[in-house]
Amino acid sequence: MELIVFEKDSYYKLMEETMVLMYKVIQEKHKEISSVDEDEKDFISTTEAMKLLRIKSRNRLYDLRDQKAIVFYQHGRRILYSKKSIIAYLKGQEIT
C-alpha cells in the first residue's frame, strides 16, 4: 500500500477546490432539471385549460386552438395546451 502525505494547508486547499468544482456541477445539473420541469409544467390538460379560460364548452376551446389563438401539441390522442399562451391570450382580451 502506498501512502501519500499532504501538508495541512495543501490538503485544505485541495478540498476547497474540489468542493467548489462539485458545487458548480451540481448547480448546472439543477438548472438543467429546472428548465425541463418548467417546460413540462407549462403544458396543461384540456380540463385545466378550460378552467383557466373560464369556459365550459370544449368546442370553444377547440375553436381557440383551431384559430391558433393558443398553443397546443398533440401526442396520439392526448392534447396539451400551453399555459403561457393561454395567459397571453387572456391578457390580449383585456379591456382597459
Side-chain angles (χ1 to χ4, degrees):
M1 180 164 77
E2 197 174 329
L3 182 66
I4 300 174
V5 179
F6 282 101
E7 289 181 351
K8 185 178 180 180
D9 293 336
S10 298
Y11 173 76
Y12 286 122
K13 185 176 180 181
L14 175 67
M15 292 305 296
E16 182 180 345
E17 290 173 358
T18 304
M19 293 303 290
V20 167
L21 180 63
M22 288 178 62
Y23 183 71
K24 286 180 182 178
V25 169
I26 290 170
Q27 275 186 326
E28 289 173 9
K29 289 295 180 183
H30 181 69
K31 286 179 185 176
E32 288 176 21
I33 291 170
S34 296
S35 67
V36 169
D37 287 345
E38 288 176 11
D39 291 342
E40 289 176 1
K41 290 179 185 176
D42 180 47
F43 287 95
I44 57 178
S45 68
T46 300
T47 54
E48 291 172 321
M50 289 171 58
K51 285 180 185 176
L52 187 58
L53 287 164
R54 295 179 198 94
I55 58 175
K56 294 181 182 178
S57 169
R58 284 184 186 259
N59 288 334
R60 176 66 182 135
L61 182 63
Y62 299 156
D63 288 342
L64 291 172
R65 183 183 73 194
D66 294 340
Q67 295 168 6
K68 300 189 186 324
I70 56 176
V71 176
F72 74 99
Y73 83 92
Q74 183 172 3
H75 182 73
R77 295 184 73 191
R78 186 170 185 192
I79 299 174
L80 296 176
Y81 299 88
S82 170
K83 190 174 184 178
K84 290 178 186 176
S85 71
I86 292 173
I87 292 170
Y89 171 77
L90 290 172
K91 286 184 179 179
Q93 299 300 311
E94 267 185 80
I95 299 174
T96 55

